[in-house]
Structures are given as C-alpha cells and as structure tokens.
Amino acid sequence: TPVDLTIAIGNTELIKIINSQEFNPKLILINEIATLYIKDYAFASETWSINTPNEFGEFPIHIAVRRSSLEELRAFIAAKCNINAQTADEMKYSALHYAAGTGNLDIIRSLLANGIDHTLIDGLNRTATDLIYLNGKPKNMFFINKWLTQDV
C-alpha cells in the first residue's frame, strides 16, 4: 500500500502527517498521500492552491522545479496539478521551461514522462526545447534529441 511505501522509504514526517489524519491506512491512495505531503509538509507555511499562482506568478509546480525537488514534483503530479500551467506573468514559462533553465535532467525527464506539452511557447516565443539548447548542457541536448525522435 502507499502507507507501506512511505514507511519503507522512512519518511517519518510524512508518516506523522498520515497518522494525524483520519484515514483508513489500507484504503489511502497515493494521490491522497501526495496532497497531504504538499499541504502539510512541503508548503506548510504557505497559503496556496495547487493550481493557483503565487504573487510572483509561479504555480506550485514551478516552485518545485525551481527547487530541483523531484519529490515535490512527483507529489504535485500525483495530486493532479495542471502540469502545463504557465507562469501568470509576461514570461509565460512552463515547468519545462524552468527545468530547461536549471538544466536538471531528472526533472526534464519526469515532466516529459508525465505528458507535459513541450511545444508551449514562452513570452519570448521560445519552447523549452529551445532553452535546453541555449543552456548548452551536452547531456540534456543529447537526451532531448533522442526524446524528440522517440528513441529514448
């Protein structure tokens, strides 16, 4: 079960959160655990909604990517966030644009594997793929070339 997985990976903070809720451990779903993690652990001090931007125009998925937190990203995806959300400012960055900027290949892979739209255009008329090439990391450029031709 998801609770068994949480125990197996030893995330004591998440176990405490689950225990503080009124869930039947045998019936709790992974997206419920993800939502609890997001609400009570990763963003405990912030007032937010999973698909609402903060005062800087960033959605929670952007913040997770900016933090290079694969754990938070997976939690948002499991909680059914809008993976294609673009920042609510003139730049209109997607989470994939952020990942391309940070150069974190694990985040890039996760976003693409979970169906992010790689053709979204930012405020400067660039796709995240364009940013991957502009960033110049050979490993990322090699990966995106293979992914675009579906050889990954």
Side-chain angles (χ1 to χ4, degrees):
T1 68
V3 173
D4 295 327
L5 177 62
T6 302
I7 292 167
I9 63 172
N11 190 328
T12 56
E13 290 299 317
L14 193 50
I15 293 166
K16 287 178 197 173
I17 292 168
I18 292 168
N19 287 335
S20 72
Q21 308 296 315
E22 295 192 20
F23 286 108
N24 178 342
K26 300 274 185 210
L27 300 176
I28 192 168
L29 301 173
I30 194 71
N31 63 335
E32 291 173 315
I33 290 177
T35 302
L36 290 174
Y37 171 81
I38 292 166
K39 182 171 95 32
D40 294 341
Y41 183 64
F43 291 89
S45 63
E46 300 180 38
T47 304
W48 64 280
S49 166
I50 196 165
N51 289 314
T52 303
N54 65 13
E55 65 272 19
F56 304 108
E58 295 175 310
F59 290 80
I61 192 169
H62 294 100
I63 296 167
V65 171
R66 183 168 35 85
R67 291 179 181 179
S68 289
S69 175
L70 197 54
E71 185 176 55
E72 289 175 12
L73 177 63
R74 287 179 179 151
F76 286 127
I77 291 168
K80 307 288 187 219
C81 74
N82 177 4
I83 197 168
N84 290 311
Q86 291 182 270
T87 55
D89 61 10
E90 66 279 354
M91 293 312 297
K92 306 243 180 282
Y93 288 134
S94 70
L96 189 57
H97 283 89
Y98 269 42
T102 65
N104 187 319
L105 185 56
D106 290 333
I107 300 280
I108 292 168
R109 285 178 198 242
S110 182
L111 289 167
L112 291 169
N114 283 285
I116 195 165
D117 182 354
H118 71 283
T119 65
L120 292 173
I121 303 293
D122 70 12
L124 297 174
N125 205 33
R126 302 173 301 189
T127 66
T129 304
D130 295 332
L131 295 183
I132 289 171
Y133 291 116
L134 286 171
N135 193 320
K137 289 192 172 185
K139 192 161 133 182
N140 294 357
M141 291 187 295
F142 179 74
F143 169 79
I144 202 66
N145 279 337
K146 289 187 73 75
W147 187 85
L148 288 169
T149 60
Q150 298 303 309
D151 290 336
V152 177

